[in-house]
Amino acid sequence: YRPGVILSAGDSLKIRLFGRGSHGSQPQTSIDPVIMAASTTLRLQTIVSREISPMDNAVLTIGALQAGTKENII
């Protein structure tokens, strides 16, 4: 018997965010899902740094973000 953590496990989570698209020249008419994704990423990263005790073990990784297929479309 050993006290403390010995093993860990990994879980996956897929999050889809939906906004309202627009042309890149008129970003004010969109609800930008890229901004939503950036905000979500920042908030998720603060879970480990601000919500979990430093005495506990925790890792949270945002491994990939995908946003659109065109350069001038939000």
Side-chain angles (χ1 to χ4, degrees):
Y1 174 78
R2 290 184 184 182
V5 177
I6 314 174
L7 302 172
S8 65
D11 290 312
S12 294
L13 175 67
K14 186 179 216 178
I15 300 172
R16 294 186 75 182
L17 301 172
F18 296 92
R20 183 176 64 222
S22 178
H23 190 272
S25 66
Q26 297 180 320
Q28 73 278 8
T29 63
S30 72
I31 299 173
D32 194 341
V34 174
I35 299 299
M36 285 190 276
S39 295
T40 302
T41 299
L42 288 172
R43 180 61 186 116
L44 287 171
Q45 291 296 321
T46 62
I47 290 172
V48 173
S49 65
R50 298 291 184 254
E51 308 288 333
I52 306 294
S53 167
M55 303 308 291
D56 294 330
N57 296 314
V59 175
L60 190 143
T61 300
I62 307 300
L65 290 174
Q66 178 186 357
T69 59
K70 304 291 182 207
E71 295 83 17
N72 64 343
I73 303 296
I74 295 173

